Amino acid sequence: MELHQISYFIHLAETLNFTSAAKLSGVSQPSLTRAILRLEQELGGPLIYRKGKNSRLTGLGQHVELEFRRMLVALESVRQHSDNWAQGKHQVLDIAVAPTVGATYFVPFLLSALEQIPSIEFKLHSLKSSEDVSGLMSGRYHACIFPQSSRPDIRLSVVPLFRERLVLGCAADHPLAAFDTIRAEDLVDYPFIDRLNCEYRGQIQDHFTRREVVMRPRFRTDREDWVQRVVAQSRAVCILPERSVAVPGMVTRLIEGLTLEHDLVMAMASGSATPVELKQFAQFASNYEWH
């Protein structure tokens, strides 16, 4: 197996068309076809169903694509690390952060990491609510920071960070801010902001339903910054993770009987291809004091 065969197959998996894949690879179609045939012979099975416009990857092809992409990412990491080492540059770590993760607690953590690990540089991305671990497995991100799913994935290496509760968010001068704990029935007099990115929306609704409290959202959005701005500047309220507050003028209070909480974790793809700097960053995250 040669590197150019891997590159050819990745282009074929992206286009599902031999002519288009050959153009992307900068070779003739017959050359690409022969390379794919040799690859199939070496791997012991077909990688693509050849049905013209309806061509698609086989089960083996889908698995091989995932592994080949990881190999290319690892190779690029080695090249980048080598270049950075020779030129005194930093290793760039692509970190995806879920929108529900607040900057207030994570900025000091990231700044400390930059100080303690001089060889790294961060490129932060917003992890969309529709994304799953595919971004990690494909190599798009080195690591993701998000609320942990109840179902562990054996393909991931997970570093626990901290646990946080879901609480009421309101303006500092809001009438409810005068109390340490808020009853569910006290919320009905105020506009409710629905956070569409919240993974506990169903459980929150059930909590209020059991208490015969009907919350009628006046504003719905997946933009956490908009949610917090509206709450901080009005009489509206929302329910959010206690450490996610990032807007001045906003406070949090406990809700009587609401015991929802989640664990924030940093996840990476398992395997020996993990860059040294990413391992250092993961170790730093594991030992960090989350106040």
Side-chain angles (χ1 to χ4, degrees):
M1 185 186 305
E2 299 180 7
L3 287 177
H4 73 269
Q5 289 177 288
I6 297 175
S7 177
Y8 293 173
F9 176 71
I10 292 297
H11 289 153
L12 181 60
E14 291 173 346
T15 62
L16 296 178
N17 181 281
F18 281 83
T19 301
S20 299
K23 289 181 179 179
L24 287 175
S25 303
V27 297
S28 66
Q29 181 178 333
S31 296
L32 182 133
T33 300
R34 286 193 296 270
I36 297 299
L37 286 173
R38 289 197 303 271
L39 188 60
E40 290 178 322
Q41 292 170 359
E42 185 172 351
L43 295 176
L47 300 176
I48 184 171
Y49 291 116
R50 296 162 172 82
K51 295 184 178 180
K53 294 183 178 179
N54 295 320
S55 296
R56 57 189 174 87
L57 295 181
T58 64
L60 175 62
Q62 294 174 15
H63 178 74
V64 166
E65 180 192 9
L66 179 61
E67 294 302 322
F68 278 0
R69 287 188 183 278
R70 292 180 62 178
M71 290 172 61
L72 290 179
V73 169
L75 179 61
E76 180 60 28
S77 177
V78 170
R79 289 172 174 166
Q80 187 180 52
H81 182 75
S82 177
D83 290 343
N84 290 345
W85 181 270
Q87 301 176 29
K89 295 181 180 180
H90 297 146
Q91 167 71 45
V92 178
L93 298 181
D94 288 278
I95 310 296
V97 182
T100 56
V101 176
T104 302
Y105 282 82
F106 274 90
V107 167
F109 161 65
L110 294 176
L111 292 177
S112 296
L114 290 174
E115 182 178 343
Q116 295 297 319
I117 314 173
S119 60
I120 64 173
E121 174 184 330
F122 291 125
K123 183 185 293 184
L124 293 184
H125 307 266
S126 179
L127 185 67
K128 298 179 177 59
S129 57
S130 59
E131 288 186 293
D132 54 18
V133 299
S134 60
L136 284 172
M137 305 313 298
S138 69
R140 187 183 309 124
Y141 309 127
H142 289 98
C144 293
I145 297 174
F146 54 79
Q148 185 177 35
S149 169
S150 58
R151 293 173 298 189
D153 192 317
I154 61 174
R155 298 174 296 173
L156 301 182
S157 176
V158 177
V159 177
L161 302 179
F162 58 80
R163 176 171 293 183
E164 62 181 348
R165 301 167 295 184
L166 268 70
V167 295
L168 176 77
C170 64
D173 59 353
H174 195 285
L176 296 179
F179 304 93
D180 293 329
T181 303
I182 310 301
R183 299 180 306 166
E185 53 266 34
D186 293 334
L187 302 181
V188 296
D189 295 329
Y190 304 99
F192 181 67
I193 310 300
D194 189 6
R195 298 172 52 252
L196 298 180
N197 278 326
C198 181
E199 69 271 27
Y200 290 116
R201 291 177 69 222
Q203 292 94 318
I204 292 172
Q205 292 172 1
D206 290 342
H207 174 79
F208 290 122
T209 299
R210 288 195 301 270
R211 287 158 178 75
E212 298 183 351
V213 174
V214 180
M215 302 298 291
R216 295 185 174 87
R218 298 294 306 279
F219 187 80
R220 305 173 190 265
T221 180
D222 59 359
R223 288 283 300 271
E224 294 291 317
D225 54 340
W226 282 55
V227 169
Q228 296 193 25
R229 284 291 179 185
V230 171
V231 170
Q233 298 177 20
S234 70
R235 286 293 181 263
V237 297
C238 70
I239 297 175
L240 76 172
E242 59 185 326
R243 298 193 185 195
S244 67
V245 174
V247 173
M250 186 174 173
V251 298
T252 60
R253 297 292 184 264
L254 295 177
I255 300 175
E256 187 177 76
L258 185 65
T259 57
L260 294 176
E261 57 185 19
H262 63 203
D263 293 309
L264 266 292
V265 301
M266 183 172 74
M268 304 161 291
S270 301
S272 59
T274 304
V276 173
E277 291 83 359
L278 182 58
K279 293 180 180 178
Q280 293 176 327
F281 178 52
Q283 184 63 42
F284 177 81
S286 178
N287 296 330
Y288 187 76
E289 293 290 336
W290 297 94
H291 299 293

